[in-house]
Amino acid sequence: MGQMMADQAGTFPKILTERLRLRQFEPKDDAGLHACIGDANLVRYWDFSACKNIQETRSWVRMLAKTTLPDQSIAWAVAEKDSDNCIGMVNYHHREPLNRRLEIGYILRSEWHGRGLMSEAVRAVMSHCLGKLNTHRIAAVIHPDNAPSIRLVTRLGFRCEGGPLRDYWRVGNNYMSPMLYSFIAN
């Protein structure tokens, strides 16, 4: 899975995998994240519209870099291990420690697709959530047309539990109805 490392301040959980470095977002990640969340094709199944410009993405990077509520959510920049360039993002959110559950989300720049990198990143974050956060249930809310994402979570042991969740996401003036996939720890 992933090797955990504390950062210099000992607060943000860095995770190293064979090919990736999952770390806190930094200002240098603007362009790399913008290649993800500024791409309308990549975010067409997300619960928000693509960022219109790099300034919008910079606001996201600043927000994602904050670790003021690690009990509720953390976002990792997914960086290529050798170059440390941001190629995506993986996070957990909607964490409920009492119920030992949370949701995950992820995105990867299109030119890095098809190499198993997001599986590697999500597997490492799952390991962190199960081991360090004592999580029992990990959910992924996925649009039914997002076949690559459904394949990814299915390979990692998630099962479809229901849906479509009617009008669950509002994007602009439209609603989307995603499916619920969950991984339950043994």
Side-chain angles (χ1 to χ4, degrees):
M1 298 257 171
Q3 175 187 358
M4 293 296 304
M5 300 180 69
D7 69 359
Q8 293 156 348
T11 55
F12 192 90
K14 292 182 183 175
I15 303 172
L16 293 178
T17 70
E18 182 182 340
R19 300 175 290 171
L20 301 171
R21 180 183 319 273
L22 307 184
R23 58 164 174 75
Q24 190 167 15
F25 273 95
E26 301 172 7
K28 70 177 183 173
D29 298 325
D30 291 354
L33 188 63
H34 190 67
C36 295
I37 66 174
D39 183 332
N41 188 51
L42 282 180
V43 298
R44 72 188 181 278
Y45 300 128
W46 275 50
D47 59 347
F48 63 85
S49 299
C51 289
K52 294 177 191 71
N53 53 49
I54 193 74
Q55 289 77 22
E56 273 189 46
T57 302
R58 283 189 183 114
S59 295
W60 274 97
V61 168
R62 284 192 301 274
M63 183 192 67
L64 293 171
K66 294 180 181 176
T67 58
T68 55
L69 300 171
D71 285 345
Q72 295 175 16
S73 66
I74 285 185
W76 285 268
V78 176
E80 196 272 327
K81 196 173 193 178
D82 294 333
S83 69
D84 199 39
N85 290 330
C86 177
I87 60 172
M89 184 270 301
V90 63
N91 70 356
Y92 68 78
H93 52 278
H94 294 120
R95 181 170 178 234
E96 295 181 24
L98 181 64
N99 291 309
R100 297 178 54 201
R101 68 179 177 223
L102 51 77
E103 292 180 27
I104 59 166
Y106 44 86
I107 193 165
L108 185 69
R109 290 170 56 170
S110 57
E111 65 267 29
W112 292 87
H113 289 184
R115 303 180 196 185
L117 293 169
M118 195 45 62
S119 291
E120 190 173 315
V122 171
R123 186 178 294 114
V125 168
M126 288 174 64
S127 180
H128 171 78
C129 293
L130 296 168
K132 301 291 184 186
L133 303 178
N134 196 30
T135 301
H136 177 69
R137 175 188 179 84
I138 300 173
V141 181
I142 303 172
H143 192 283
D145 295 339
N146 191 346
S149 188
I150 292 168
R151 281 192 304 272
L152 185 152
V153 296
T154 301
R155 277 194 311 267
L156 294 176
F158 285 69
R159 301 278 183 258
C160 183
E161 289 192 330
L165 306 173
R166 291 186 52 218
D167 294 351
Y168 193 75
W169 290 332
R170 182 171 179 243
V171 181
N173 291 323
N174 299 311
Y175 285 92
M176 292 196 296
S177 301
M179 305 296 286
L180 175 64
Y181 288 79
S182 295
F183 176 90
I184 308 295
N186 291 330

